Amino acid sequence: VTNKRYRMFIDYLNGKNPDFEERYPRKRFMEIMAWFASNKVWDSNYQFGVHLQARQGVSAGRFCSDYHDDNTFGGDEQPVVKVSWYYAKAYCLWMSLIESQGEKRDLFRLPTEKEWVWAAGRKGGRKYPWGSEDANYSRANYGKHVGTTTSVGSYANGATPEGLYDMAGNVFEWCEDWYDSEKKLSRVLHGGSWFSNPDYLLCSARSYNHPETGDDSIGFRVVRSCQF
């Protein structure tokens, strides 16, 4: 998800996108988010509710990336960063409601870890998203070579044979799953980032972070399930 796309979400929350408001009322969306927070819908530990309360409720400012207007990370086609797992989930919910005009809440979502790894490595058949060849700077943005994120889709040599870009490098990507299924403190991350070493670019490499956390190395992509 690019900054440009994520800003559409923020503009909607700020009442600056009448086209989307027409498809699904902003007030109703805010009510759903507040209900999710108070009813432990997204996690059993009530972290989302606590997080919103700490940030004084549901508002556009609470969902905005800290790098919204940053010259280094805020370019339109760069991946949005500094967005927590919860805010990535909120974006998916918003997209679902807008696209379906309020009829579906799960049209778009974060990938499960199994889905992410399958898509990157074709069911475990590839070492890296592009194949078995070692990583280099023509295939991915990693190792602080560029020093920031790059525009989404910049590395054609690193795409999967199926046409997925940036499955390695640029930003780590949130997955749906808990990293620690018993303690439930962290969510799974995959893909490596612009400052990661090559080991994190492997399809099998996994990382984690607390769902409230967002930094300049973490972004997300959206899954839309096949409709038959």
Side-chain angles (χ1 to χ4, degrees):
V1 174
T2 63
N3 285 307
K4 184 178 181 178
R5 288 184 176 276
Y6 195 78
R7 285 181 188 124
M8 293 179 185
F9 173 47
I10 300 302
D11 286 346
Y12 167 85
L13 296 179
N14 279 320
K16 297 179 180 179
N17 202 320
D19 290 340
F20 290 152
E21 176 82 16
E22 213 172 279
R23 295 191 207 176
Y24 194 77
R26 178 170 56 103
K27 181 181 178 181
R28 179 62 182 141
F29 179 82
M30 292 299 202
E31 289 172 352
I32 291 175
M33 292 304 302
W35 183 85
F36 273 25
S38 63
N39 287 275
K40 306 182 184 180
V41 173
W42 282 344
D43 61 68
S44 59
N45 294 336
Y46 196 38
Q47 292 169 344
F48 183 56
V50 171
H51 186 52
L52 286 180
Q53 289 171 12
R55 288 180 170 242
Q56 300 176 355
V58 180
S59 68
R62 308 309 169 211
F63 291 93
C64 192
S65 165
D66 288 352
Y67 290 108
H68 183 75
D69 296 316
D70 184 86
N71 291 331
T72 304
F73 294 95
D76 280 354
E77 299 308 318
Q78 289 173 268
V80 65
V81 294
K82 201 73 175 181
V83 174
S84 72
W85 182 88
Y86 294 116
Y87 296 169
K89 291 274 287 183
Y91 177 90
C92 291
L93 172 65
W94 169 72
M95 278 193 69
S96 298
L97 292 169
I98 292 296
E99 184 75 11
S100 68
Q101 296 190 28
E103 293 187 8
K104 295 183 179 180
R105 296 184 181 183
D106 58 354
L107 195 60
F108 298 94
R109 57 183 174 78
L110 295 177
T112 66
E113 182 174 21
K114 183 180 288 187
E115 287 172 334
W116 195 100
V117 173
W118 193 95
R122 194 63 180 177
K123 206 174 180 179
R126 292 192 295 263
K127 183 178 180 181
Y128 296 99
W130 56 82
S132 59
E133 299 87 353
D134 288 341
N136 61 58
Y137 295 133
S138 74
R139 296 187 183 278
N141 177 16
Y142 68 97
K144 301 182 182 179
H145 176 67
V146 177
T148 183
T149 56
T150 47
S151 295
V152 169
S154 295
Y155 292 86
N157 290 338
T160 70
E162 298 77 32
L164 291 176
Y165 282 71
D166 299 311
M167 295 295 282
N170 217 15
V171 289
F172 280 104
E173 298 176 4
W174 287 117
C175 292
E176 178 68 27
D177 308 67
W178 289 106
Y179 182 83
D180 42 2
S181 56
E182 292 185 5
K183 293 182 179 180
K184 295 185 177 180
L185 297 175
S186 303
R187 296 284 181 175
V188 173
L189 292 167
H190 269 286
S193 75
W194 59 272
F195 73 80
S196 298
N197 66 53
D199 291 343
Y200 282 103
L201 307 187
L202 293 166
C203 296
S204 59
R206 64 200 302 253
S207 189
Y208 63 92
N209 217 320
H210 193 281
E212 288 185 18
T213 301
D215 62 34
D216 59 20
S217 70
I218 300 175
F220 67 103
R221 75 175 62 222
V222 170
V223 168
R224 177 168 178 161
S225 298
C226 294
Q227 303 292 312
F228 295 102

